[in-house]
Amino acid sequence: MRIVEDRRIAWKAFTRVGIGYGAFLLVTIVIQLEVGVIALLLSRFGMNITFGNWYMVFVSLSNYLVGGVVGWLIIKDMPVLSRPVARKAGAGMLVSGFLVCMSALFFGNLMGQSLMSIVCALLGKPMVNPVEEVMKGLSTWSIFVTMVVMAPICEEILFRKILIDRIRLYGDKAAILVSSVVFGLSHGNFYQFFYAFGIGLVLAYIYIQTGKLRYTIIFHMIINFLGSVVALHIGDDPQLTVAYSIFMLGAVIAGTVLFFINQKKLVFHPGLMETWGKGTFRILFLNLGMILFFLVSAATFIISSS
């Protein structure tokens, strides 16, 4: 009976998580629609808004602050694991974690690009990466502020600190999987979903093992810096391009090797109300809240590809 009751409580908890993060996504959609409507109205009075650097910073900050607060208000009363099991992060864990993140970035990006190339071929339309489209015409400073500073800090708080602290009660495996799925889908497109999901798995594990958000924020910043600022300007110098390619190739190979070497050494602590086992998928994802989240996510995917 205790197991049945724990699973019922877990089902309700993950329903609440889905509602909270579904609300977060809805708010981001509404904000962007409202900004578009305001811009349209102002243009009729001869006031044209340029959708450039400041627009990018303003909308991104609004999404994180307003959407994040709405999501937090919905799940804030969920019980938080008071004394998380944590251990000091050694150099080996951090270096291995970063390299595995780089391999997840590479293979996840490859999967996303491959999937979208197939979809675009079937639909008979050119493949357009929404992330690359957004960065076109933006200055380096706005990309740095939004993608290298703002996004890592806000997303680590939202998807690691706030979320994982409230679902570790149901076991490390459940917390890592759910937080990574929510993190990946919240990016709003298939180009980013796979590598965001993979990186989310690694960052969630590091956060759970260490209890320190600063490690995941730093990793997130470095990854975004390499994928945005460096990737945009690396082609300006052939020597830097070669050096960057060698570094990335080495990191991907090392990360892949380290993953297979260390996968059996990974430690997952059971939760006080452990849910992992038979029926886990139904408890974590087939509840009303998570279904709502998946539907809103689908809407963001459709909007980003239109």
Side-chain angles (χ1 to χ4, degrees):
M1 290 298 294
R2 171 63 187 276
I3 295 176
V4 174
E5 179 64 15
D6 285 353
R7 288 185 167 235
R8 185 182 67 82
I9 295 173
W11 191 87
K12 288 184 177 180
F14 288 104
T15 293
R16 195 166 177 179
V17 167
I19 293 172
Y21 284 85
F24 163 73
L25 289 182
L26 276 174
V27 169
T28 63
I29 293 173
V30 170
I31 288 174
Q32 293 178 64
L33 290 176
E34 287 184 346
V35 171
V37 170
I38 292 172
L40 179 61
L41 292 174
L42 290 176
S43 66
R44 294 185 177 182
F45 293 96
M47 301 173 61
N48 293 321
I49 296 179
T50 302
F51 294 93
N53 297 315
W54 286 107
Y55 168 82
M56 177 70 172
V57 174
F58 172 76
V59 171
S60 297
L61 183 60
S62 299
N63 287 341
Y64 289 127
L65 290 183
V66 182
V69 168
V70 170
W72 174 75
L73 287 173
I74 293 173
I75 71 170
K76 70 181 182 69
D77 292 332
M78 292 175 62
V80 176
L81 190 63
S82 57
R83 293 191 179 185
V85 178
R87 63 190 176 95
K88 185 177 180 180
M93 174 194 285
L94 296 178
V95 172
S96 297
F98 176 74
L99 292 173
V100 173
C101 276
M102 297 307 295
S103 63
L105 173 65
F106 175 80
F107 289 113
N109 185 57
L110 185 63
M111 291 173 66
Q113 294 282 349
S114 300
L115 174 63
M116 292 312 298
S117 65
I118 294 172
V119 171
C120 291
L122 292 174
L123 296 177
K125 67 177 185 178
M127 189 169 69
V128 178
N129 189 326
V131 181
E132 294 177 354
E133 289 299 306
V134 168
M135 290 194 295
K136 283 183 179 179
L138 295 179
S139 63
T140 301
W141 74 263
S142 64
I143 294 174
F144 183 85
V145 169
T146 55
M147 297 186 179
V148 183
V149 178
M150 189 190 305
I153 294 175
C154 295
E155 290 176 3
E156 291 309 307
I157 293 173
L158 187 61
F159 297 105
R160 246 66 69 182
K161 178 66 178 175
I162 291 176
L163 179 54
I164 289 178
D165 283 1
R166 285 163 176 77
I167 57 177
R168 276 200 69 191
L169 183 67
Y170 308 101
D172 285 358
K173 291 181 179 179
I176 291 171
L177 179 60
V178 171
S179 64
S180 301
V181 169
V182 172
F183 178 60
L185 289 175
S186 294
H187 281 72
N189 61 83
F190 276 118
Y191 289 96
Q192 292 180 286
F193 168 73
F194 293 102
Y195 70 73
F197 170 73
I199 292 172
L201 291 173
V202 182
L203 296 183
Y205 181 80
I206 291 173
Y207 175 66
I208 281 178
Q209 291 297 310
T210 65
K212 305 296 183 184
L213 198 64
R214 61 175 175 265
Y215 298 129
T216 63
I217 290 176
I218 292 172
F219 281 8
H220 201 154
M221 285 181 169
I222 294 172
I223 292 168
N224 281 15
F225 178 72
L226 292 173
S228 59
V229 176
V230 175
L232 283 175
H233 297 286
I234 201 68
D236 299 339
D237 188 323
Q239 292 182 337
L240 287 177
T241 302
V242 173
Y244 177 77
S245 300
I246 293 174
F247 166 77
M248 291 297 292
L249 179 61
V252 170
I253 293 174
T256 304
V257 172
L258 286 170
F259 171 76
F260 285 106
I261 290 176
N262 295 319
Q263 62 174 329
K264 293 183 179 180
K265 301 177 183 178
L266 299 178
V267 178
F268 300 100
H269 297 282
L272 297 176
M273 301 177 70
E274 180 65 36
T275 62
W276 201 261
K278 185 178 180 180
T280 296
F281 185 83
R282 182 183 65 83
I283 295 172
L284 301 185
F285 300 115
L286 296 183
N287 55 70
L288 297 178
M290 290 304 291
I291 291 172
L292 170 65
F293 173 75
F294 293 144
L295 291 175
V296 178
S297 299
T300 63
F301 276 54
I302 293 171
I303 292 171
S304 69
S305 63
S306 61

